[in-house]
Amino acid sequence: MDVENQTAITNKKKTVVQVIDEKTNLKTSVEITDENDNKKVLYKVNKKQKNKKKRPNDDSEQPQQPGPNQCHYFVKRKNRYCHLRTKKGKLYCGEHAVFDPENEERIPCPYDNAHTVVKKDLEKHLERCNSRPKPKDECYVENCNIRDIAALEKTKEKTPREELKEMSKEDFNKFVEKILHSYEDAFKDYEIPTEILDHEALNERKIETHGGKHAIQQASILGHLDKINSLKKEDVYVEFGAGKGELTYYVRKAVGDPSTYVLVDRRNFRMKFDRENKKKKKTEDTTTDNEESLVATTTTTNNETSIDTIATNDEKSLTIQKRLFMDIKDLCLAKLSLLQGKKLVAVSKHLCGCATDLTLKCLVNYTEAVPNSVKSIFIALCCHQICKYGMYCNPEYLTHYGFNQEDFEKICVLTTWAICGRRESKSSEKNNCDGDNKEVEDEEEDEEEAKDELKKSELEDGNENPDEPHWSGMSFEERTVFGRKCKRFLDMGRVQYLRRHGYKKVRLVHYVTQNYSLENCALVVNNM
């Protein structure tokens, strides 16, 4: 062995040095003691070296034959036979019995052939198999919120972006002028206000994150809900595109218990803040002043498609949180028993693209089935570039201004100009956001997916360097302003859709500055 550092740590009678094993190329700590002029060397074995398992040589031509009562199934990846024991007179273990030509007992599971089951126990196994099809929730109605399924089918070979680039300069300028004229007409009597509000429920979070962008946005959302009197315990709060459930966590913190919540998302997230809700309630219940109820219980029911969390066993202070693992396009609120006899408050932070249109269609369908059931709505809008014509809630609005499906798809492409282009470098962003690391880690997965889609569109658009001449002939600043107008034009169609279906006090508002989010526009409805 070669000595790398002979004076690392030196004591009167002991020296610790670092050596390198020439065979394994691993660094090892070596302790050398000197007692009565007798040198004694003690080696501390490296953990990696100690725990390293010897794998069979893949180059060996003849693997060791199975022993008595050993399974005869050959594991090719490990170049050996299965180590499990067999029954007397059998060649294969229970797991590999299906490979026995004489086997009549075990068969592959119909739901997942990666595991097997005894034939006589098949019926019982299918009832509890983890791979069994998920049961549909009571409020599942397939595609009930899609306006036009046929319009979702792709019939063209070229993308809307490619069609835009192939337009002549004259045709493109006419298209831009048509959009601007439509925007001016839609907003002729309306100017989007900036209302940045706050709520005490986020005070601690803002301190922890040093004014992190998500905490600021959530505080403003809660402030707007409080302003329209929509933080009441008797209401049911439905978060669309809930992700990990962070917004619901802070809504519950502001509302208090007892209260009712429904979280909707098609993905199975970690449900980090669902667990925080349970911990919070358990802590509160164990420290209650009522000595008669010393310990409160928390029960969880998991049926694959929804999770019900009951915070306490006291019927007078019951908080219910239900999570639905389903797409908004299939959600029929009229069939959700939890909403019966209660007012609904719909909330969402950054509901991407067509998910917003599906949500609005879902709410309108609900109010048509159950009149005066929706109390208020707050949806932070984003990602218009992934809207779809077959899901857009107000095609009549587009027709009024002379736009068809192809025009709509092109407008969606142009909305990317509002949020792509110059950005701070990662180094400067890191310096400015030292206290916001946790906020960045908690970014919603749907938002990250939309960012990936946007990054792809930027590269296709040839806008990687905003200082270079753009194919549109517009400067970076002009494209940014125009892109935002395209977004707001589509949003005004959503506003008019809700107004047409009887919703009151529907408006758009900038709920934070662009320093905290380029997608800083929200749809707010006070329907009472």
Side-chain angles (χ1 to χ4, degrees):
M1 297 184 178
D2 298 330
V3 177
E4 183 182 58
N5 184 0
Q6 297 181 354
T7 60
I9 302 176
T10 305
N11 295 328
K12 293 181 180 180
K13 295 183 179 181
K14 180 172 65 174
T15 301
V16 178
V17 299
Q18 290 285 332
V19 299
I20 300 178
D21 192 324
E22 294 179 350
K23 295 182 178 180
T24 62
N25 201 30
L26 295 174
K27 290 185 179 180
T28 307
S29 296
V30 179
E31 182 180 306
I32 302 176
T33 59
D34 190 356
E35 297 178 359
N36 300 326
D37 297 331
N38 294 325
K39 291 187 177 181
K40 187 178 180 181
V41 180
L42 303 176
Y43 292 93
K44 293 182 180 180
V45 181
N46 188 291
K47 288 184 178 180
K48 292 183 178 179
Q49 184 177 355
K50 182 179 179 180
N51 298 330
K52 188 175 181 180
K53 295 182 180 180
K54 293 183 178 181
R55 291 186 176 274
N57 186 4
D58 293 338
D59 297 332
S60 60
E61 296 180 359
Q62 297 294 335
Q64 185 177 358
Q65 295 298 314
N69 298 327
Q70 181 182 348
C71 179
H72 280 57
Y73 178 79
F74 184 73
V75 186
K76 187 176 181 180
R77 180 175 61 87
K78 298 182 179 180
N79 195 37
R80 63 168 175 77
Y81 288 91
C82 172
H83 284 165
L84 297 179
R85 296 181 63 83
T86 64
K87 291 183 178 180
K88 187 175 182 180
K90 301 290 184 181
L91 294 179
Y92 293 88
C93 66
E95 186 63 30
H96 299 122
V98 290
F99 298 100
D100 190 343
E102 299 180 358
N103 168 66
E104 295 182 356
E105 296 180 2
R106 299 189 71 90
I107 60 173
C109 174
Y111 293 145
D112 182 8
N113 58 12
H115 64 275
T116 62
V117 59
V118 178
K119 186 182 295 186
K120 66 178 182 179
D121 297 332
L122 178 61
E123 187 175 348
K124 292 182 179 179
H125 172 79
L126 294 179
E127 293 177 357
R128 63 179 185 270
C129 178
N130 291 332
S131 299
R132 67 188 183 276
K134 297 179 180 179
K136 305 299 182 184
D137 202 88
E138 60 178 353
C139 53
Y140 177 89
V141 178
E142 187 176 5
N143 297 329
C144 62
N145 297 319
I146 296 181
R147 181 184 56 81
D148 186 357
I149 297 179
L152 299 177
E153 298 178 1
K154 186 177 180 181
T155 58
K156 298 182 298 181
E157 295 182 359
K158 294 183 179 180
T159 65
R161 189 176 301 276
E162 292 172 340
E163 293 178 350
L164 275 172
K165 289 185 177 183
E166 291 178 359
M167 293 175 66
S168 65
K169 181 68 173 177
E170 182 180 358
D171 290 341
F172 178 77
N173 290 338
K174 287 182 180 179
F175 186 62
V176 170
E177 287 297 326
K178 183 178 179 180
I179 296 173
L180 291 174
H181 176 75
S182 301
Y183 169 84
E184 295 296 335
D185 183 73
F187 284 88
K188 60 183 177 182
D189 298 323
Y190 185 78
E191 183 177 351
I192 302 177
T194 298
E195 298 178 8
I196 304 172
L197 304 182
D198 197 4
H199 197 279
E200 61 184 3
L202 271 296
N203 287 348
E204 184 178 346
R205 180 62 172 170
K206 287 189 292 184
I207 294 174
E208 291 175 354
T209 61
H210 302 278
K213 59 182 181 179
H214 296 294
I216 296 296
Q217 293 174 55
Q218 290 159 350
S220 185
I221 292 174
L222 264 61
H224 279 277
L225 291 175
D226 192 24
K227 181 180 178 181
I228 58 179
N229 198 30
S230 294
L231 291 176
K232 300 296 181 182
K233 294 181 180 180
E234 59 268 19
D235 300 327
V236 178
Y237 297 86
V238 181
E239 183 180 0
F240 293 88
K244 296 189 288 288
E246 184 173 359
L247 180 57
T248 293
Y249 172 78
Y250 289 110
V251 170
R252 179 177 178 182
K253 192 173 181 180
V255 173
D257 297 314
S259 46
T260 306
Y261 305 89
V262 179
L263 295 84
V264 184
D265 205 296
R266 63 182 178 181
R267 291 186 177 183
N268 190 350
F269 282 86
R270 292 181 297 155
M271 298 179 289
K272 171 182 177 181
F273 287 91
D274 294 28
R275 295 191 292 271
E276 290 294 329
N277 277 331
K278 297 178 193 177
K279 293 177 184 177
K280 172 179 177 291
K281 192 59 188 176
K282 280 185 177 181
T283 304
E284 292 176 356
D285 291 337
T286 54
T287 58
T288 181
D289 293 333
N290 187 358
E291 297 181 358
E292 295 180 359
S293 57
L294 296 177
V295 180
T297 60
T298 300
T299 61
T300 302
T301 303
N302 189 346
N303 67 349
E304 287 81 19
T305 60
S306 64
I307 295 179
D308 299 338
T309 305
I310 302 178
T312 69
N313 58 0
D314 185 356
E315 293 182 357
K316 295 182 179 179
S317 60
L318 194 67
T319 290
I320 299 176
Q321 182 167 304
K322 183 180 184 69
R323 181 176 277 272
L324 299 174
F325 300 115
M326 61 189 303
D327 199 309
I328 302 173
K329 71 181 180 66
D330 305 318
L331 175 61
C332 179
L333 292 174
K335 294 189 175 183
L336 186 59
S337 57
L338 198 62
L339 300 179
Q340 292 182 1
K342 295 185 178 182
K343 296 291 185 180
L344 182 150
V345 177
V347 296
S348 183
K349 176 176 173 284
H350 295 309
L351 193 58
C352 294
C354 55
T356 296
D357 297 300
L358 293 173
T359 297
L360 299 182
K361 189 72 166 64
C362 177
L363 293 171
V364 167
N365 289 343
Y366 180 49
T367 51
E368 289 179 351
V370 186
N372 301 320
S373 54
V374 177
K375 180 178 181 179
S376 56
I377 302 171
F378 187 100
I379 298 176
L381 307 164
C382 78
C383 306
H384 298 71
Q385 71 272 12
I386 55 176
C387 288
K388 297 180 181 179
Y389 183 78
M391 296 180 180
Y392 187 67
C393 59
N394 198 354
E396 296 82 5
Y397 169 78
L398 299 173
T399 304
H400 172 73
Y401 288 105
F403 295 113
N404 56 24
Q405 180 174 351
E406 293 182 0
D407 297 331
F408 172 83
E409 293 171 350
K410 292 175 182 176
I411 293 174
C412 291
V413 170
L414 296 174
T415 62
T416 62
W417 289 356
I419 50 177
C420 66
R422 292 190 180 90
R423 288 190 177 88
E424 289 185 282
S425 63
K426 290 184 179 180
S427 58
S428 62
E429 187 176 343
K430 184 177 180 180
N431 294 333
N432 293 333
C433 303
D434 291 337
D436 199 23
N437 291 334
K438 193 172 182 180
E439 288 281 298
V440 175
E441 293 175 1
D442 288 341
E443 187 76 32
E444 298 291 347
E445 293 187 20
D446 275 351
E447 192 174 347
E448 290 296 331
E449 181 180 340
K451 286 181 179 179
D452 293 339
E453 183 73 19
L454 178 60
K455 184 176 180 181
K456 180 181 178 182
S457 68
E458 289 175 21
L459 297 176
E460 291 175 353
D461 196 34
N463 195 34
E464 190 172 6
N465 186 354
D467 294 324
E468 294 181 357
H470 194 264
W471 59 266
S472 65
M474 302 168 67
S475 66
F476 170 76
E477 290 74 15
E478 290 173 339
R479 296 196 306 276
T480 301
V481 173
F482 180 68
R484 289 185 67 82
K485 289 183 177 181
C486 290
K487 283 178 172 287
R488 300 295 79 85
F489 175 70
L490 296 179
D491 292 336
M492 181 54 70
R494 293 164 170 169
V495 170
Q496 294 188 13
Y497 172 74
L498 291 177
R499 289 173 179 172
R500 191 171 74 243
H501 286 84
Y503 282 78
K504 306 171 185 176
K505 299 179 182 178
V506 186
R507 64 195 186 106
L508 298 173
V509 61
H510 293 137
Y511 72 105
V512 291
T513 64
Q514 293 189 46
N515 293 332
Y516 291 101
S517 176
L518 293 177
E519 301 277 23
N520 64 334
C521 187
L523 176 66
V524 185
V525 179
N526 182 9
N527 203 33
M528 303 304 293

